[in-house]
Amino acid sequence: MIEIYIECWASPEGVRYPWSVWQDGRQVDSSHATSLYEDPDQAEEAARRYCAEVLKASPTNVVRL
């Protein structure tokens, strides 16, 4: 099972949305250190692209925290 989590981080600079991808209960990758998106839809799109290109599969579930 592949899951995408879209987080919501608030700071004085504004709200940002990193993503993380989990496969079978283990974190595979995330954008925390590389990309923080200004829109949750952009973060989800990037995470779905990661799943398609790297894992060669679609996510089973997407959770927005």
Side-chain angles (χ1 to χ4, degrees), residues 2-9 16-23 26-55 59 61-65:
I2 298 172
E3 297 176 291
I4 292 174
Y5 290 90
I6 308 298
E7 298 177 40
C8 179
W9 290 1
R16 297 292 183 262
Y17 300 90
W19 57 262
S20 59
V21 174
W22 296 68
Q23 186 172 27
R26 294 183 183 189
Q27 186 173 352
V28 177
D29 205 350
S30 74
S31 72
H32 297 135
T34 58
S35 300
L36 301 177
Y37 299 87
E38 293 184 11
D39 180 90
D41 293 331
Q42 292 173 336
E44 183 176 333
E45 181 182 326
R48 285 182 177 276
R49 189 170 43 255
Y50 173 88
C51 290
E53 293 174 3
V54 176
L55 303 178
N61 194 24
V62 177
V63 178
R64 292 191 181 194
L65 303 172

